[in-house]
Amino acid sequence: QVQLVESGGGSVEAGGSLRLSCAVSRLTDSTYCMGWFRQAPGKEREAVATITRYLAGTTVYADSVKGRFSLSQDNAKTLYLQMNTLSPEDTAMYYCGLETSANLCNNRLNWSRYQYWGQGTQVTVSA
C-alpha cells in the first residue's frame, strides 16, 4: 500500500516562505498523479497544485497560488511545494494526495478522486 508522509509545515508571518515535502513509499506504478490540497477550518478541501506522471506530464496550480507556489519532484518521487509570499488566507492543513488510476487523474483537481493521503501538515500564517 502506498504511503505518504508530509513535513515542512509551521508558523510564519505574512510574506514569509515555507517548503512542504511529501515522501512516497511503496509506489510501484509509473503512471500516477500527485498533488497538494489544503483544508481550512469549516471549509472544503481544495486543490493547491497537482502533477501527473503519464502522457506528457502536466502541473496545474490553483488560481489563488499561481505565481507564489511552485511544485517540484525529485527522483525519489518526493513531492515538494515551495510556498512564497504567504498570506493569512493560506492558513490550512495541507495534505498530499496520490492516485494511480489515469482515469481518475483526468479530474485531478478534485480531491475526492485521490485514493492515498498523508496525515497532513499544518501551515499557519499570521498577519
Side-chain angles (χ1 to χ4, degrees), residues 3 10 23 26 29 46 54 73 81-82 101 121-122:
Q3 292 186 335
R26 302 179 184 177
D29 296 78
E46 63 176 5
Y54 61 96
Q73 190 174 34
L81 183 67
Q82 178 65 45
S101 166
T121 186
Q122 178 68 38

Side-chain angles (χ1 to χ4, degrees), residues 24-60:
V24 184
S25 60
R26 302 179 184 177
L27 175 63
T28 59
D29 296 78
S30 59
T31 58
Y32 59 92
C33 57
M34 285 182 73
W36 286 98
F37 298 77
R38 65 187 182 187
Q39 187 167 17
K43 294 187 177 181
E44 188 175 0
R45 190 171 297 191
E46 63 176 5
V48 176
T50 68
I51 189 169
T52 62
R53 287 306 184 196
Y54 61 96
L55 299 177
T58 56
T59 302
V60 179

Side-chain angles (χ1 to χ4, degrees), residues 2-13:
V2 173
Q3 292 186 335
L4 306 173
V5 178
E6 302 103 329
S7 61
S11 297
V12 296
E13 294 183 350

Side-chain angles (χ1 to χ4, degrees), residues 17 20 29 41 49 58 65 71 82 92-95 106 108 122-123:
S17 299
L20 306 184
D29 296 78
T58 56
V65 306
L71 197 64
Q82 178 65 45
M93 183 71 80
Y94 283 69
Y95 296 94
N106 286 335
R108 56 191 173 273
Q122 178 68 38
V123 172

Side-chain angles (χ1 to χ4, degrees), residues 62-82:
D63 289 342
S64 60
V65 306
K66 283 180 181 177
R68 300 188 299 123
F69 291 11
S70 178
L71 197 64
S72 63
Q73 190 174 34
D74 64 18
N75 291 335
K77 301 186 179 71
T78 298
L79 190 68
Y80 301 96
L81 183 67
Q82 178 65 45

